Amino acid sequence: MSDILKAPVYEGRPKLGEGRLEKEIRTYDLLDRLAISYLRLDHEAMPTIEACRDVDKRLQIHICKNLFLCNSGKTDFYLLLMPGEKKFHTREVSSQLGVSRLSFAPEEKLEELLDLTPGSVTVLGLMNDSAQRVKLLMDRELLQEPYMGCHPCINTSSIRLSTRDVLEKFLPAVNHMPVFLDLSA
């Protein structure tokens, strides 16, 4: 049995900020200010969706893929949230958006626009996009889930949020509303 499956799950932010990155603390500050409750699980770095499977079991959520994309000219940027078990089909997303040649955006743009690093891509990174350069895309299927799991801008913790709180509190507070897509399995 994985150590993660036995790890404690906490309600809310860590008691002490020691050893936590400033961007993680800012995330908790915003969630607290918006009165969004959440469960938190601390763990070793989880850079891939496969590595997060035990985390999701422990938090009782379904895996959500978070992909940072751009157009071919690297002028338009997108954060795509989709169920973890679905495969990403570039052509399908491009077609629904009316954009040609979507690809993964460069790491430096991820850091510049969302203050995130690879492996810690999260919807919560939109709090760092005050210029609103990143468009949020969500697979409509995610609306069927009561909870979403994500990193608090760093991949050494994971949190469980109410999908409703993300849509009704967090996204309006950071001025990002999703474009819903219907993605195939």
Side-chain angles (χ1 to χ4, degrees), residues 97-152:
L97 289 177
V99 174
S100 64
R101 292 197 193 161
L102 277 181
S103 63
F104 291 99
E107 287 181 26
E108 58 272 8
K109 286 295 184 182
L110 177 61
E111 200 159 342
E112 174 190 333
L113 299 174
L114 297 178
D115 192 20
L116 299 174
T117 55
S120 60
V121 179
T122 172
V123 67
L124 299 176
L126 292 172
M127 67 184 250
N128 300 314
D129 182 31
S130 57
Q132 298 169 341
R133 300 245 346 254
V134 179
K135 294 175 186 78
L136 175 61
L137 311 174
M138 284 182 74
D139 186 327
R140 196 176 309 277
E141 190 176 311
L142 293 176
L143 297 175
Q144 297 171 17
E145 296 295 332
Y147 299 104
M148 294 179 74
C150 60
H151 294 305

Side-chain angles (χ1 to χ4, degrees), residues 2-21 24-25 28 38-46 51-52 54-56 58-59 150-160:
S2 165
D3 289 342
I4 290 172
L5 295 176
K6 297 182 276 181
V9 174
Y10 303 97
E11 287 187 32
R13 70 186 308 128
K15 298 284 185 238
L16 301 172
E18 298 168 7
R20 306 282 176 160
L21 293 178
E24 181 183 6
I25 298 300
Y28 299 133
Y38 53 95
L39 296 180
R40 178 181 48 83
L41 177 65
D42 296 326
H43 47 71
E44 63 188 47
M46 298 282 165
C52 291
D54 284 346
V55 169
D56 292 331
R58 186 72 177 115
L59 290 175
C150 60
H151 294 305
C153 296
I154 189 72
N155 66 1
T156 53
S157 289
S158 294
I159 59 177
R160 182 180 89 173

Side-chain angles (χ1 to χ4, degrees), residues 54-88:
D54 284 346
V55 169
D56 292 331
K57 284 180 192 170
R58 186 72 177 115
L59 290 175
Q60 299 177 340
I61 54 178
H62 292 284
I63 294 169
C64 180
K65 237 178 239 179
N66 299 270
L67 305 175
F68 187 58
L69 309 168
C70 66
N71 65 352
S72 59
K74 295 179 179 51
T75 56
D76 295 323
F77 299 91
Y78 306 90
L79 177 60
L80 172 62
L81 289 99
M82 61 188 288
E85 69 279 357
K86 283 189 176 182
K87 291 194 186 281
F88 170 60

